[in-house]
Amino acid sequence: MKRPILWILVAIALLLLAGYAAGSWYFSTIALARPTQTLDEGRARSQSLAELGLPQPEGVTIDTGDVTLSGFYFENDLAGDCGVVLLHGYTGTRYGALQYAPLFWERGCDLLAYDHRGHGASTPTLHTFGYYEKEDLAAAVDWFTARAGLEPADVGIVGVSYGASTALQAAPLLPDAAFILADSAYQDLESILRYQGYEQFGNVAMFFLPGALIAAELRTGGDVQAISAQDAIAKAEMPILLVHSQQDEYTPPSHAETIYARSDKGRTVLHLYDWGSPHAQDIITNFDAYKADVDQFLASYAPDFGLAQQ
């Protein structure tokens, strides 16, 4: 009688293991393969180019050697001898980053905004929260400097949310960049998945999180522990402006504080705004005050970047 009971226990254990594996795969899919906006949806949810004071852009593609990034290149008629790469948020498109363009257009900067891998019109693939996206950014900066006739030191990086964390993770790869503006960045992958998983699914997500992280590594070939803005900023060499809303309901402002704590305080500035803004909306809530802080940051840490501001 003992052997049938043993086989029953083994079968139950295998079923439980299979169930945990399936649940882990499911939760990894929610993070790695969430549906994204189309370009038309991104355009509809954003201010028009005319409202942003931008001309019609040139559609461009950038071959990173792994994926093809699709984006917009804006050539500025003003002679600012500067450039800015604009990075959008999770499941969005390049249109979601254009709200930052007016901060730099009047400085005479050329602009590049592209869809992250797995987003918009870029190559469909899994989202890796900065692990491969940081290398895409480095390739995009190389393309941009060649196209615009700029040096790496003439180019700033601006990212929001997913794009902000990607920009910070890319900092060690772009030591000569003029600056990074990171709006609403998450400190690392596990922390944001833990927070959002609990907010959306409760303790069920917490139960499956360890397995989901393992599944994510198996599916992407990446190292989830390496997806960390707080680790990368400790190796950064450029000035960095961190911005976060104290009322952010998606990524807690404590993430910005954690990132800041690991930074070089001699060239890093943190603004925690108490403007009542939801996630990544401070620039919409109070554009003039936001721009004033960006201008002050650049005046202090990158005074030769673009045309002088009044």
Side-chain angles (χ1 to χ4, degrees), residues 116-296:
H116 292 296
R117 61 169 58 210
H119 290 74
S122 291
T123 300
T125 188
L126 297 175
H127 316 141
T128 64
F129 292 81
Y131 187 80
Y132 292 119
E133 289 82 356
K134 65 180 183 291
E135 297 171 1
D136 295 341
L137 173 56
V141 169
D142 285 344
W143 180 93
F144 187 35
T145 53
R147 176 59 185 274
L150 299 170
E151 296 297 323
D154 300 323
V155 175
I157 313 297
V158 177
V160 56
S161 190
Y162 189 96
S165 192
T166 293
L168 292 172
Q169 290 175 66
L173 304 179
L174 301 168
D176 298 324
F179 66 89
I180 289 176
L181 165 55
D183 188 331
S184 310
Y186 48 84
Q187 65 191 55
D188 57 59
L189 178 61
E190 183 173 353
S191 295
I192 192 60
L193 291 186
R194 184 177 299 280
Y195 178 79
Q196 276 301 315
Y198 183 79
E199 287 293 304
Q200 297 181 42
F201 302 101
N203 288 324
V204 173
M206 297 301 95
F207 176 70
F208 285 106
L209 180 59
L213 292 173
I214 293 172
E217 290 192 337
L218 292 173
R219 297 175 71 174
T220 65
D223 176 4
V224 297
Q225 296 303 316
I227 303 173
S228 176
Q230 64 172 319
D231 288 345
I233 199 171
K235 305 171 186 176
E237 299 181 18
M238 70 287 290
I240 296 176
L241 175 59
L242 302 171
V243 174
H244 217 109
S245 170
Q246 294 186 42
Q247 289 76 38
D248 193 330
E249 79 295 350
Y250 190 88
T251 303
S254 60
H255 283 235
E257 294 175 305
T258 299
I259 294 169
Y260 179 69
R262 298 290 302 278
S263 72
D264 178 349
K265 309 305 184 299
R267 49 184 168 71
T268 307
V269 175
L270 169 63
H271 288 302
L272 293 175
Y273 292 126
D274 190 16
W275 297 342
S277 306
H279 179 64
Q281 293 296 301
D282 279 323
I283 193 170
I284 301 297
T285 301
N286 194 339
F287 178 83
D288 290 341
Y290 194 106
K291 182 179 185 301
D293 283 339
V294 172
D295 287 343
Q296 180 58 53

